[in-house]
Amino acid sequence: MEDIFTQVREGNAFHVRVWLDNTENDLNQGDDHRFSLLHWAAREGRTNIVDMLIARGARINATNMGDDTALHLAASHGHRDIVMMLLHNKANINAVNEHGNTPLHYAAFWGKDQIAEDLVNNGALVGICNKFNESPLEKAKPKLGSMLKERALQLGQDLQKIPFKDRSWLGYKTRSRDALLSRHTGIDIKQLNLSNQVAVTHSGEMYRGQWEENDIVAKILSIRECTLRMSRDFQEEIPRLRIFNHPNVLPVLACCNQPPDLVVVSQFMPYGSLFNVLHGETGIVVDQNQALRFAIDIARGMEFLHTLEPMIPDLVITSKHIMIDEDLAKINIDDPKYYRKTDGVVNGIDEDLSARINMADYKFSFHEKGKLFSPAWMAPEALTRKPSEINQRAADMWSFAVLLWELETREVPHADLTPMECGMKIAMEGLRLTIPPGISSHMSRLVKICMNEEPGKRPKCDMIIPILEKLKQK
């Protein structure tokens, strides 16, 4: 297959879909000029490919080297359907590139009258000035400029000029990734610049560090003796964890297979795990809406993982294995709420956080055999039967119900018991979580349905996502 950027430019949707179906391919990668696949699809008017990329989790507001977003390119090339699609998916309508131009500047300059009007109707400001102190009204031909001015006034806009503000300090935070990391599988441990140890768990020691100028976490597996067979199994199992094409799955970037060290490398998440956010001292307030957003994110990630054949085994869905991410390329960085009034620094806004299932927490086939460390989140049948004898999708749904309970109550499930006591009581004595009276009747019912004692009667992810989305709208 030709270069994927060529396939996108030429509109070969079938080839693009096949490429996207390979979970190791990173749909947010950029070419030599940091044009992402979405940039090229928007520029060339490939509506079906734009739709496909957005559905797969493309970063809507990622920028190229000139700080253009996909909306800049769609507007300047006159692709109205793509402009509306990007706006519907929360594209930053007033995004400013390195010259200070917004998408409205380009639509006005190139005489894309209908697109310019659409942009103003959807909140584009006619007063934003570029580096040369020119507003979109001044870039437009007189007739279009007059129409845009009149429409802006009808919508209550202040026509006063808004001076250019340099945003180059944002650096590469909103740029599309150059795919350098996603091209690697095995790397030399010497390439990792590890600094401080961030955690020691039963499964291994985790260190923060840098690799190829990116912040990473390296997990060195705890193994008494690394045999050749372990090394071989490690190499065989790593590729299935490199899932780059879903926004709610955090992939393993690479591994170091250098006995006695087996190392898993993943992206550093400054907020840590969902467990840390809910029960630690992060200072993040998880209100009802944010809890529902996290729940929807996790359900979408699970839905994707459940489509894989064969499924990835030994990945227990717990709040410790869900990482919290904030991606500036997904949000509108020009919204005033992102800036401190004193120095204009970007703030982390809780409502723009997303949850991602961490593939680095996968339990390798040779690692910690027969040991269970998160029984509070596990289905009763998963504690009493062999993995081959259970319905993994149904068992995951039980785990998801525990997560819902945790998000609603802000409590640690069965916190008063040791893991061994908890596992024994769930499996042998019928210990179950009780739903406190404060929880809404809808959520209470959903938790009970997902915790049905008969695995076959638990719902599937595609059934509960619409329910969660309805609850979010209430």
Side-chain angles (χ1 to χ4, degrees), residues 37-272:
L37 302 179
L38 185 61
H39 278 102
W40 280 117
R43 183 182 188 275
E44 300 299 324
R46 309 301 182 189
T47 308
N48 54 344
I49 295 178
V50 169
D51 189 37
M52 198 187 309
L53 290 169
I54 291 174
R56 298 289 185 109
R59 290 173 168 82
I60 301 296
N61 293 316
T63 56
N64 61 16
M65 287 185 84
D67 283 337
D68 294 306
T69 65
L71 186 59
H72 280 94
L73 300 177
S76 61
H77 288 81
H79 303 306
R80 187 186 180 196
D81 52 347
I82 293 176
V83 167
M84 299 310 293
M85 195 182 297
L86 292 168
L87 291 178
H88 180 70
N89 286 277
K90 299 183 180 179
N92 181 0
I93 200 167
N94 291 307
V96 174
N97 67 10
E98 66 177 0
H99 302 295
N101 291 317
T102 65
L104 183 58
H105 275 91
Y106 287 120
F109 178 76
W110 291 109
K112 311 297 181 186
D113 297 22
Q114 190 61 64
I115 291 176
E117 187 177 356
D118 289 335
L119 290 170
V120 172
N121 286 337
N122 282 276
L125 301 175
V126 299
I128 292 179
C129 292
N130 61 17
K131 272 186 174 180
F132 310 102
N133 200 34
E134 299 169 317
S135 73
L137 298 179
E138 294 167 315
K139 299 292 284 185
K141 290 179 180 175
K143 185 179 177 182
L144 176 58
S146 176
M147 185 270 287
L148 293 178
K149 181 178 179 181
E150 185 180 336
R151 187 71 188 118
L153 285 170
Q154 289 172 355
L155 293 168
Q157 281 197 33
D158 182 352
L159 300 189
Q160 188 174 347
K161 280 191 172 185
I162 303 169
F164 171 73
K165 183 167 58 176
D166 183 19
R167 291 170 178 78
S168 60
W169 58 271
L170 284 168
Y172 282 86
K173 285 187 178 179
T174 60
R175 298 265 168 95
S176 57
R177 292 202 304 270
D178 62 6
L180 190 62
L181 302 188
S182 57
R183 288 176 188 153
H184 290 75
T185 306
I187 57 174
D188 191 326
I189 197 170
K190 292 177 183 174
Q191 291 179 260
L192 303 177
N193 180 19
L194 303 182
S195 51
N196 58 308
Q197 188 181 76
V198 292
V200 179
T201 66
H202 53 82
S203 60
E205 299 176 21
M206 281 173 275
Y207 292 86
R208 185 176 173 183
Q210 282 217 326
W211 171 46
E212 301 286 354
E213 298 182 1
N214 287 271
D215 289 331
I216 55 101
V217 170
K219 179 180 180 180
I220 303 174
L221 299 186
S222 295
I223 301 171
R224 189 172 294 175
E225 182 184 0
C226 183
T227 64
L228 281 174
R229 176 160 186 170
M230 284 182 181
S231 176
R232 186 191 66 205
D233 290 346
F234 181 72
Q235 197 67 39
E236 286 178 359
E237 293 173 37
I238 276 289
R240 71 178 75 175
L241 309 179
R242 289 168 50 77
I243 298 173
F244 286 92
N245 62 3
H246 196 280
N248 301 119
V249 178
L250 185 67
V252 166
L253 297 176
C255 69
C256 305
N257 189 350
Q258 294 171 278
D261 291 324
L262 301 180
V263 185
V264 177
V265 179
S266 58
Q267 185 183 349
F268 174 70
M269 297 281 108
Y271 293 105

Side-chain angles (χ1 to χ4, degrees), residues 263-284:
V263 185
V264 177
V265 179
S266 58
Q267 185 183 349
F268 174 70
M269 297 281 108
Y271 293 105
S273 68
L274 177 59
F275 186 91
N276 187 48
V277 167
L278 290 176
H279 313 300
E281 295 182 0
T282 59
I284 296 173

Side-chain angles (χ1 to χ4, degrees), residues 289-430:
N289 277 333
Q290 181 62 74
L292 282 167
R293 277 190 290 269
F294 283 156
I296 292 168
D297 287 344
I298 297 163
R300 285 176 178 156
M302 285 171 57
E303 181 184 33
F304 175 78
L305 294 177
H306 286 179
T307 65
L308 301 179
E309 291 291 348
M311 276 188 66
I312 298 171
D314 299 322
L315 184 69
V316 180
I317 306 295
T318 82
S319 57
K320 295 175 182 177
H321 299 165
I322 306 294
M323 304 304 286
I324 302 305
D325 188 12
E326 180 187 54
D327 190 341
L328 288 177
K330 293 177 187 170
I331 59 180
N332 182 350
I333 59 170
D334 290 306
D335 191 311
K337 69 183 180 181
Y338 289 96
Y339 292 87
R340 286 205 298 261
K341 290 180 181 177
T342 51
D343 52 10
V345 173
V346 172
N347 289 324
I349 303 299
D350 299 353
E351 68 183 57
D352 295 308
L353 300 176
S354 61
R356 306 176 71 183
I357 300 173
N358 187 15
M359 302 313 293
D361 285 325
Y362 163 82
K363 186 178 173 185
F364 290 91
S365 59
F366 56 83
H367 197 206
E368 304 174 313
K369 283 188 176 180
K371 294 181 180 178
L372 300 175
F373 294 96
S374 303
W377 285 266
M378 294 176 69
E381 69 271 16
L383 294 168
T384 57
R385 300 179 196 167
K386 295 177 183 176
S388 58
E389 295 174 351
I390 67 169
N391 179 335
Q392 190 179 333
R393 292 176 178 85
D396 284 349
M397 194 49 63
W398 179 287
S399 301
F400 181 71
V402 178
L403 276 173
L404 287 179
W405 180 92
E406 193 176 357
L407 284 165
E408 285 292 313
T409 64
R410 311 295 193 271
E411 295 178 14
V412 178
H414 305 304
D416 55 331
L417 301 173
T418 66
M420 181 179 285
E421 289 172 336
C422 179
M424 291 292 289
K425 285 180 180 288
I426 291 172
M428 312 301 290
E429 300 176 21

